[in-house]
Amino acid sequence: MAVPERAPRERMVFSAAQLIRRDGVSSTGMRDVAAHARAPRGSLQHYFPGGKEQLVNEAVGWAGRYAGDRVARFLAALPEPTPGALFALMVRQWTDEYESHGFGGGCPVAAATVDRAGSADSTREAASAAFTGWTGAVAGALTGMGVPVERATPLATLMISSLEGAILIARAERSVRALTTVARELGPLLDAAASGPDSGRGTGE
Amino acid sequence: MAVPERAPRERMVFSAAQLIRRDGVSSTGMRDVAAHARAPRGSLQHYFPGGKEQLVNEAVGWAGRYAGDRVARFLAALPEPTPGALFALMVRQWTDEYESHGFGGGCPVAAATVDRAGSADSTREAASAAFTGWTGAVAGALTGMGVPVERATPLATLMISSLEGAILIARAERSVRALTTVARELGPLLDAAASGPDSGRGTGE
DNA sequence: CGGCTACTATGACAGCCGTCATAGACGTCA
DNA sequence: TGACGTCTATGACGGCTGTCATAGTAGCCG
């Protein structure tokens, strides 16, 4: 809500990401972005000569980097890191937002993918890079918890897929049910992968 | 691609769903829908006096019903139905499409949620109903496979969440990797829920 | 035949969009 | 002081959008 005191250019990228995740790419106008960032309209063509496409791509990139950084911060906040606990924190970020600020926004990367993947290829690539970076951050965290390297990326993909899908359902239903459900159902599976590499069945507690 | 020989009204709803899942709601114009359905433009205001919102809502409803019906058909196609096998078929539907027709389209319900959930409440409700119906169909199939009733809906939500998220990532990456990954990773968990109600760890093979 | 309903056809409208052209303000450096 | 680069300001343009108004056609019924 509050726009931090940063350089105008960065503010515009930030505002773009925020508006995109609420209204979608097509429904977000350049004029809206400038107004939301309290930046002059004329600066848009100055900072983003590539037009809307460039602005959207940078917003997507920003969101991807933000998601990756959050993973590192979640990791640092966990006294005894386990994959299930990390996933619970990732989900919690969304339930907290939805319960305190309403179901107004989704994931900007998802929004960009849904309505630009078929038309603007550079935006599709930006979204792909965002997912890749995010997945890499999660996979790195998993290996640090004892998950075998070859299982880290698949599990990270599963976590992000479930989270993105649950965000969608949560917004549609205006309920955090789907989010809490995927966290609860996936937690044991993730933790088992950290303790028992071969099958996750034997080592027990 | 080919528009079947149905009533013009139904053709328009069908075409709307197809265009929405490819370009998003905002980027899909009413004129495009009429052209794609080979229906006269003037019929739009005749069949859909509620305007674009009504058309979009019906397209979302159609997609939800379609997804639910597919579950029943998948179930009938399985000689020995297990939750993991059902999920594999649900995922396979998307990998098949992507590998044979390209990554042009996503899920219409997801598209509608992303760029109408915040503006048109009736569309958000239509999307919610679509997810609910779909989840109910999957949950019903799960209970028929021996999954305890209280676990059926959560697991169905997990399946649909993972699938939706994986579709998103697959489109962004132009690769079916995320789809095949969630199917492989989630399969054992789902099957365990069908055979071992209490924890899924002990009963073995 | 007239009358009615279902559907089609088309032009117009106001509004928003991204983009561009042009001009102005402001600081800095020579 | 004057010139220059950075940033701001604003009006205009063409194009597309959803919607409406109006008129037309086709077929059935009496």
Side-chain angles (χ1 to χ4, degrees), chain B residues 31 40-43 45-47:
Chain B
R31 292 165 172 86
R41 213 191 84 199
S43 298
Q45 75 175 284
H46 183 254
Y47 289 115

